[in-house]
Amino acid sequence: MSAPIVFSGIQPTGRKHLGNFIGAIRQYVEGQDRGEPAIFCIVDLHAISVAYDPVELRERLYDTTAILLAAGLDPERCILFRQSDVREHTELTWLLSAVTSHGDLNRMTQFKDKSAKQRELVSAALFFYPVLMASDVLAYRATEVPVGDDQRQHVELMREIARRFNERFGETLIVPEYRIPEVGARIMDLQEPERKMSTTGGTEAGTVLVLDEPGAIRKKFGSAVTDSGREVRRGDDKPGITNLIDIHAVARGIDPAEVEREFEGAGYGDFKPAVAESVIELLGPVRERYAELRPDQAALEAILAGGAEKARAIAAGTLAEVRGRMGFGPA
Ligand code: TRP
């Protein structure tokens, strides 16, 4: 077994929230700091599968790049690139479509959910989204894919595509593993603590953004929904307080039980501001660094170009082999 290679795709939205930060971004940085080889791809080609604005897309792509760098991704120690810069992804998508079952694509719950929400056009791109996602990972022969639970079905499908390719054309692709997100991945909406924090499905007041100013963060935690009790302890009957305890614990790097002990006897009125301050401490440095990085678009472009070059070097090798196996080009 060769060394693990981690691959993850990140949507190009500038509105990354606390759940994204704790459940994904921070873990990318920790993996990088452990010396894990990893590839991070900002998936602008996926973004066109629903209604979008080209000018906006480019802006949000820079926002996302700057957030990832501000959080600590280091282009010297990982590969960070823009999906559309590496043409191999689109080529491999078509090639893999030959070993992708139409029925499987039809069963994808994300496709069903998203297509139901489209007002004007349900694009073929939305239907093909999982094949492009499979190409992202398989082009690098990545072994691990850390993504949220909502993407598990897509990872299962890419495993199936890799297996079917190997069976049909000979051992070529690596069947990647789904990597279960660690604790802290389930950060809930502060207003509706039964649902996950989300910039698309959640409430505005209950969603803490990575780039929120301290004032906004204090306000959101101040109005967080709790319950009629007064004890700071975790429990199924206390989703709001449980969420706040978990957030405080990850922001401080301590155990939830320790938070319960620390706030024993204290009321919600003391606890909520404390959570806000720990989150401000967690996100503040990222926001400040972002403000330095974001205006220099040329520097961001240079980083993305460097990443694309490294990515292409790997993907081109896989594509050459895939093409050969499939009967393209000279014998
Ligand atoms: N579909 C993923 C999401 O919405 C993003 C993504 C695109 C991805 N390509 C990927 C994730 C490859 C992991 C690997 O979160």
Side-chain angles (χ1 to χ4, degrees), residues 7-11 43 46 129 133 136-137 145 147 151 154:
F7 185 104
S8 200
I10 302 121
Q11 297 284 352
V43 296
H46 277 106
Y129 182 116
M133 183 164 160
D136 292 342
V137 175
V145 186
V147 278
Q151 297 296 313
H154 288 158

Side-chain angles (χ1 to χ4, degrees), residues 64-131:
T64 306
T65 308
I67 288 180
L68 293 171
L69 295 170
L73 283 190
D74 172 1
E76 300 294 320
R77 288 185 291 154
C78 69
I79 300 180
L80 171 65
F81 74 107
R82 170 169 54 200
Q83 189 183 30
S84 63
D85 283 344
V86 181
R87 311 268 167 108
E88 279 76 3
H89 292 238
T90 36
E91 182 179 358
L92 188 56
T93 299
W94 179 250
L95 299 180
L96 292 181
S97 74
V99 286
T100 304
S101 145
H102 180 276
D104 284 348
L105 289 179
N106 242 334
R107 274 188 286 280
M108 293 292 119
T109 55
Q110 181 177 290
F111 173 69
K112 289 189 223 170
D113 293 347
K114 285 195 180 176
S115 55
K117 284 191 199 133
Q118 298 312 305
R119 299 240 177 120
E120 286 177 8
L121 174 80
V122 176
S123 67
L126 194 57
F127 188 69
F128 248 56
Y129 182 116
V131 194

